[in-house]
């Protein structure tokens, strides 16, 4: 059996044994690894406001005239729907507020219908039947020179639909 070589001294010189050094190195590596994994998970779960041009940042949805009044348009790159009403625009995250499935708009039913557990939302994202606990979340809409931009870094939860949620257009 090989004896562990102790390189520490008892005079308080601060030296470590090989075993202590390896333990410290292992714990440090594990800490770095878990930190990186944690950051990756957070980025996945929450849109980052720092991302530009794609989901998680400002997403270009199109020219205002591309959104017919009364219609729902899916902007897949931004993971949201746009509803244009007589008054303006509403951008709704396509993520179900129950457990996060992507919710399709079903033209024939004239409503959103989640395929996972059956939640149904109306055209402005209000829950018609659960288990979804609240309406579809909103993203802020910005109109610039007739272009529609949506800030997917800042989802807004709401208890109900209110006309003030519509961005005038
Ligand atoms: S995830 Fe949509 S109803 Fe459960």
């Amino acid at each position: 059996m090989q004896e562990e070589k102790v390189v520490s001294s008892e005079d308080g010189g601060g030296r470590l044994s090989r075993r202590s050094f390896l333990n410290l190195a292992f714990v440090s590596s594990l800490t770095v690894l878990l930190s990186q994994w944690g950051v990756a998970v957070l980025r996945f779960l929450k849109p980052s406001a720092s991302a530009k041009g794609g989901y998680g940042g400002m997403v270009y949805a199109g020219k205002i005239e591309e959104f017919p009044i009364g219609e729902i348009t899916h902007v897949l790159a931004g993971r949201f729907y746009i509803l244009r009403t007589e008054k303006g625009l509403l951008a709704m995250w396509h993520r179900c507020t129950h457990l996060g499935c992507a919710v399709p708009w079903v033209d024939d039913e004239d409503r959103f219908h989640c395929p996972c557990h059956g939640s149904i939302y109306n055209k402005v994202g209000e829950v018609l039947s659960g288990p979804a606990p609240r309406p579809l979340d909103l993203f802020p809409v910005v109109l610039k020179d007739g272009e529609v931009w949506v800030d997917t870094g800042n989802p807004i939860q709401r208890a109900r639909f209110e006309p003030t949620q519509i961005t005038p257009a």
Side-chain angles (χ1 to χ4, degrees), residues 96 98-101 114 116-119 131:
C96 184
H98 178 223
L99 292 178
C101 289
C114 184
C116 293
H117 311 100
S119 289

Side-chain angles (χ1 to χ4, degrees), residues 1 14-15 21 26 32 38 50 61-63 65 69 77 81 84 93 96 107 110 116 121 123 151 164:
M1 192 170 123
R15 293 185 177 175
F21 174 77
F26 175 75
V32 169
S50 63
K63 296 270 189 196
E65 59 267 21
I69 291 173
Y81 290 97
R84 185 170 181 198
W93 196 358
C96 184
D107 255 334
D110 202 35
C116 293
Y121 305 84
K123 217 166 196 172
D151 183 0
T164 54

Side-chain angles (χ1 to χ4, degrees), residues 87 89-90 138 160-168:
K87 305 253 188 243
L89 300 163
L90 192 66
L138 300 179
R160 69 193 65 78
F161 168 72
E162 289 170 19
T164 54
Q165 294 163 357
I166 292 177
T167 301

